[in-house]
Amino acid sequence: MNTLFDDIGEPLARRVGGGLAKIAMVMRHQAWAQGGAHGLTPTQAQVLTLLRGRGALRLSAIADELAITAPTASDAVAALRRKALVEKRRAAEDRRAVAISLTPSGIEAASGLTEWPDVLRAAIEDLSPDEQALLLKMLTKMIRTLQVQGAIPVQRMCAGCRHFRPNVHDDADTPHHCAFVNAAFGNRHLRLDCGDFEAADAAISAANWRQFLSPHRSQENEK
Amino acid sequence: MNTLFDDIGEPLARRVGGGLAKIAMVMRHQAWAQGGAHGLTPTQAQVLTLLRGRGALRLSAIADELAITAPTASDAVAALRRKALVEKRRAAEDRRAVAISLTPSGIEAASGLTEWPDVLRAAIEDLSPDEQALLLKMLTKMIRTLQVQGAIPVQRMCAGCRHFRPNVHDDADTPHHCAFVNAAFGNRHLRLDCGDFEAADAAISAANWRQFLSPHRSQENEK
DNA sequence: GAAAATCATTTAGGACTCCTTATCATTATG
DNA sequence: CATAATGATAAGGAGTCCTAAATGATTTTC
């Protein structure tokens, strides 16, 4: 079982990390190229995309979501305000805070951003649908781990959602269930940013997670 | 077969891309945090790591590998030279070019960089070994696609190497073969940066690739 | 209910990243 | 040999990203 290759070279996890780093490099490069066409930097484009999906946000929320410090976020937002793509208003509930939202031209700019750089899309679509579904599941796992570790803020994803019922159906194609829309779905449908997300409490979330990881519905089934 | 979820929301490839983007975000954030401890920026750390693995390089080679422009690479190298971590020498063969190499303190700094940020390593190691092997295979595919498209320079990876013989063994655990070390290996052993890499010519590379993608050794076996 | 602590954000300042365009040397090429 | 093409750098500008130190606004505490 063990081969020559198991004992030499870098450990598997490190090689996987190296591969992810290369993908990340391409994404960063693409982000510059794509944003440049619209006169936007990667960070600015990210802010726009974030606001498009989430509506008005605090500065601190933007900083958290993008894993940057508040001053950096403030810089980026100021640049966008200069370009009249966002506007700042004092928040009603907490008048220390500001609510940042897209202007009409910001909405337009953000929608133009949706188009993905072809190179990366091609690389993803080169994988079979099954592989893509599997990859999505693995990414979900990794992101969940990062979230639990506190490396990124809570994501609005199926894992961690109150409505998520992993591996409750016998159909191998669509084993999961979403209680919100009351429908079965599969790994290929897993979401990383769902508008209907509601955080589950810790105990449920942890139980769900175990259920998601190991599809063996041993005890449950016998009842 | 088709469910409600297939018709609403973003397409699978886009969600996968979104997941990769989140991972990329974490990596960038970690790169700042890790480099900061050594007084290095992410780009500088990348240059150091690259030189550690590859020895002396031209400036243009560094720029290509990191997917940045020559001026940017020049900036980063100049910053490293100021810190006495690299040295520049005119190349012997082409006196327009410079050969950039690590100084003793550069070697030391580069080896300190090897330690990965725990958060991401944990996220990868949270996947089962089988999943990691599968992920590595998918990353290999994606990187190969990017390489064929010209988005990144030729990588010194198994896919594309003269010594690679994909799916020639019946053993499901180690189906591939490396003619250089003359040993069987599996997906979990795939390399993205191998010192023994030698580029295969286009025809062989393409044939290998098809063989790698579809493990059905139909015709070959009957001979 | 005024002083103190806390919070959300901004300023200030510095090192770099990244780009485009332009300028040198040096090889190639016709 | 004169005209490309190439490898690297300079100049210049917008922006990223950080830490540390202000501002205001809002709670807390005595």
Side-chain angles (χ1 to χ4, degrees):
Chain A
M1 204 64 150
N2 232 39
T3 76
L4 171 66
F5 280 97
D6 282 310
D7 300 323
I8 61 175
E10 293 189 309
L12 177 54
R14 191 185 298 286
R15 294 202 310 280
V16 170
L20 288 172
K22 283 193 201 298
I23 302 288
M25 195 180 73
V26 172
M27 295 189 98
R28 185 195 43 159
H29 180 61
Q30 294 294 148
W32 272 102
Q34 191 210 9
H38 301 260
L40 295 169
T41 62
T43 306
Q44 291 168 16
Q46 278 183 296
V47 171
L48 249 36
T49 305
L50 184 60
L51 289 173
R52 177 167 56 86
R54 304 276 285 273
L57 289 178
R58 308 275 141 101
L59 184 76
S60 53
I62 292 175
D64 285 350
E65 290 290 336
L66 302 187
I68 54 183
T69 57
T72 300
S74 189
D75 281 349
V77 168
L80 289 171
R81 211 194 56 66
R82 257 179 267 128
K83 297 174 188 169
L85 298 176
V86 303
E87 53 187 14
K88 290 158 75 166
R89 222 171 296 138
R90 286 234 96 84
E93 332 81 75
D94 185 341
R95 298 176 24 101
R96 291 170 297 186
V98 291
I100 294 147
S101 54
L102 294 174
T103 61
S105 34
I107 293 172
E108 190 177 359
S111 65
L113 240 40
T114 313
E115 306 316 324
W116 266 50
D118 282 340
V119 266
L120 190 62
R121 209 190 55 195
I124 294 173
E125 289 177 347
D126 206 45
L127 301 173
S128 73
D130 281 352
E131 284 178 318
Q132 289 182 42
L134 214 51
L135 179 53
L136 183 58
K137 185 178 177 180
M138 291 190 218
L139 288 171
T140 300
K141 281 192 188 183
M142 291 176 61
I143 290 168
R144 144 95 192 190
T145 304
L146 291 169
Q147 182 176 304
V148 168
Q149 285 177 317
I152 50 176
V154 171
Q155 305 290 314
R156 306 189 306 168
M157 58 192 222
C158 294
C161 176
R162 172 191 307 283
H163 307 300
F164 184 48
R165 308 278 187 275
N167 290 311
V168 294
H169 296 297
D170 282 328
D171 184 354
D173 194 52
T174 59
H176 315 310
H177 193 89
C178 174
F180 187 84
V181 297
N182 196 31
F185 67 101
N187 285 331
R188 70 180 179 285
H189 305 116
L190 284 169
R191 292 186 173 187
L192 296 174
D193 190 41
C194 175
D196 301 322
F197 171 85
E198 287 179 58
D201 63 46
I204 292 179
S205 180
N208 266 353
W209 189 243
R210 281 192 299 276
Q211 187 73 11
F212 180 50
L213 290 183
S214 45
H216 321 299
R217 275 163 294 113
S218 40
Q219 309 95 314
E220 301 293 337
N221 259 2
E222 314 310 318
K223 282 183 186 171
Chain B
M1 205 65 147
N2 233 39
T3 76
L4 171 64
F5 279 97
D6 282 309
D7 302 321
I8 60 175
E10 293 190 307
L12 176 53
R14 191 186 296 287
R15 295 202 310 280
V16 169
L20 288 172
K22 283 193 201 299
I23 303 288
M25 195 179 73
V26 172
M27 294 189 100
R28 185 194 45 158
H29 180 62
Q30 292 296 150
W32 273 103
Q34 192 210 7
H38 300 261
L40 295 170
T41 62
T43 305
Q44 291 168 16
Q46 278 182 297
V47 171
L48 250 37
T49 306
L50 184 60
L51 290 174
R52 177 166 56 86
R54 302 278 285 273
L57 289 177
R58 306 275 143 100
L59 184 76
S60 54
I62 292 175
D64 285 350
E65 290 290 336
L66 302 187
I68 54 183
T69 57
T72 300
S74 189
D75 281 351
V77 168
L80 289 171
R81 212 194 55 68
R82 258 179 266 129
K83 296 173 187 169
L85 298 177
V86 303
E87 52 188 14
K88 290 159 73 167
R89 224 171 295 140
R90 287 233 95 85
E93 333 80 72
D94 185 341
R95 290 163 37 92
R96 291 169 297 188
V98 291
I100 295 147
S101 55
L102 295 173
T103 61
S105 32
I107 294 172
E108 190 177 0
S111 66
L113 240 40
T114 314
E115 306 315 326
W116 265 48
D118 283 340
V119 264
L120 190 61
R121 210 190 54 195
I124 294 172
E125 290 177 346
D126 206 44
L127 301 173
S128 73
D130 281 352
E131 283 177 319
Q132 288 182 41
L134 213 51
L135 180 53
L136 183 58
K137 184 178 178 180
M138 291 189 217
L139 289 171
T140 300
K141 282 192 190 185
M142 292 177 60
I143 290 168
R144 144 98 191 187
T145 303
L146 292 169
Q147 182 175 305
V148 169
Q149 286 177 317
I152 50 177
V154 171
Q155 304 291 314
R156 307 189 307 166
M157 57 192 224
C158 293
C161 176
R162 172 192 306 285
H163 307 301
F164 185 48
R165 308 277 187 280
N167 290 310
V168 294
H169 296 296
D170 282 328
D171 185 353
D173 195 49
T174 58
H176 316 311
H177 193 88
C178 174
F180 187 85
V181 297
N182 194 31
F185 68 100
N187 285 331
R188 70 180 178 285
H189 305 117
L190 284 169
R191 291 186 173 187
L192 296 174
D193 189 42
C194 175
D196 301 322
F197 172 86
E198 288 178 59
D201 63 44
I204 292 179
S205 181
N208 265 353
W209 188 244
R210 280 193 299 278
Q211 186 72 10
F212 180 48
L213 289 182
S214 46
H216 320 300
R217 277 163 292 116
S218 40
Q219 310 95 311
E220 302 293 338
N221 259 1
E222 312 311 318
K223 286 186 183 171

